[in-house]
Amino acid sequence: MIGSVSQRVWSLFYRVSEIMKPQVVFVLGGPGAGKGTQCTRIVENYSYTHLSAGDLLREERAREGSEFGQLIATYIKEGKIVPVEITINLLKKAMEDTMQKDEKKFRFLIDGFPRNENNLEGWNTVMDEKADVKFVLFFDCGNEVCINRCLERGKSSGRTDDNRESLEKRIQTYLQSTRPIIELYEKLGKVRTVDASRSVDEVFADVKAILDKEG
Ligand code: UP5
Ligand code: MG
């Protein structure tokens, strides 16, 4: 009798912890494809927390006393992908902090990650057991549109990589390293693609349709 009660308690515990397991959507696409813009819109309409890997790296670059500040600065300007040990710790901590503050916040948009094989390996090593990747939201946008959006933003963004020289490198890195990751998820049937070259509202209409369907 006691045994069966405790069994039921444990099975309930496991069911609850399964429900609370972080649910992740990876948000990928070229530089300036609109990942950040669309994530902001999603957060306004759905119960997701937006974590931009690029923003977390820029914060770490600016943090006084950071041992990685200089390395991150160089990598970002060169459009190269920062070693995953740095990025994954920032992401993990941001997820933990969010869930600690509010246990209901267990749905995450992870924007701009994973960008290459090293990133994916790091995720699988550190987070695979701890979080479920639901799907990849892919903002598909031509290189020229991407470059022009970033150049336009560069007039006021203050970002060290919103200039033509860095942008050429960012595009190359995207094509060589990130596209194969998207293709890999595509083979698993886990990519939801949106034509991101249209207006913010048009893109978001498609995003909504995907999220309403996926839950
Ligand atoms: N805009 C947006 N949508 C528009 C639309 N539909 N129509 C017209 N204009 C639109 O948008 C970019 C600009 O376009 C904005 O001015 C916006 O108003 C306009 P945004 O939403 O910011 O696009 P996003 O895809 O987020 O562009 P971002 O520049 O942030 O993409 P990146 O992937 O290049 O940058 P990120 O910050 O993710 O990474 C920067 C660098 O950090 C990387 O190059 C790399 O060096 C490093 N990094 C890592 O090393 N590892 C990581 O895991 C992540 C980053
Ligand atoms: Mg962004």
Side-chain angles (χ1 to χ4, degrees), residues 32 34-37 50 52 54-55 58 111-112 153 159 170:
K35 302 182 291 296
T37 304
H50 173 210
S52 156
D55 286 348
R58 282 183 284 273
D111 159 6
R153 181 181 58 186
R159 272 179 58 159
R170 288 164 67 189

Side-chain angles (χ1 to χ4, degrees), residues 11-205:
S11 98
L12 184 70
F13 172 77
Y14 281 118
R15 277 218 312 273
V16 170
S17 59
E18 194 60 31
I19 295 166
M20 304 313 279
K21 199 172 180 183
Q23 303 287 302
V24 169
V25 173
F26 286 144
V27 180
L28 294 175
K35 302 182 291 296
T37 304
Q38 294 296 327
C39 284
T40 303
R41 295 286 291 267
I42 295 170
V43 168
E44 287 164 5
N45 291 273
Y46 299 86
S47 60
Y48 274 98
T49 299
H50 173 210
L51 297 178
S52 156
D55 286 348
L56 290 170
L57 286 166
R58 282 183 284 273
E59 263 170 45
E60 177 64 18
R61 178 184 63 183
R63 188 172 64 81
E64 211 173 310
S66 167
E67 54 180 313
F68 305 120
Q70 190 50 54
L71 181 147
I72 294 171
T74 309
Y75 271 68
I76 286 182
K77 189 138 192 285
E78 290 298 312
K80 293 199 304 185
I81 299 162
V82 172
V84 72
E85 290 75 12
I86 298 174
T87 318
I88 200 75
N89 280 328
L90 295 172
L91 283 170
K92 183 165 175 274
K93 185 169 183 309
M95 288 172 77
E96 285 168 356
D97 287 353
T98 305
M99 291 176 67
Q100 211 157 36
K101 276 188 209 134
D102 183 349
E103 62 192 14
K104 289 193 290 300
K105 289 193 165 178
F106 61 95
R107 306 210 298 169
F108 295 92
L109 301 166
I110 299 197
D111 159 6
F113 180 96
R115 292 172 110 92
N116 63 1
E117 268 181 38
N118 168 261
N119 278 183
L120 193 54
E121 280 162 19
W123 175 270
N124 287 336
T125 306
V126 178
M127 295 302 293
D128 203 26
E129 302 271 290
K130 295 192 174 69
D132 287 333
V133 178
K134 298 201 322 180
F135 58 93
V136 172
L137 188 55
F138 170 37
F139 290 108
D140 193 10
C141 193
N143 298 340
E144 274 312 306
V145 174
C146 283
I147 290 174
N148 288 334
R149 285 183 188 170
C150 290
L151 285 177
E152 188 57 34
R153 181 181 58 186
K155 291 176 186 168
S156 60
S157 69
R159 272 179 58 159
T160 57
D161 57 351
D162 276 347
N163 56 75
R164 193 164 279 281
E165 204 186 333
S166 295
L167 274 161
E168 300 285 348
K169 294 175 182 167
R170 288 164 67 189
I171 293 280
Q172 281 314 311
T173 303
Y174 167 67
L175 295 176
Q176 280 166 14
S177 304
T178 311
R179 285 304 292 246
I181 301 299
I182 298 167
E183 278 155 29
L184 207 140
Y185 277 105
E186 188 89 67
K187 288 199 185 101
L188 300 173
K190 279 196 151 189
V191 178
R192 309 289 175 267
T193 303
V194 177
D195 173 2
S197 62
R198 298 162 301 156
S199 73
V200 172
D201 286 343
E202 284 171 311
V203 176
F204 188 62

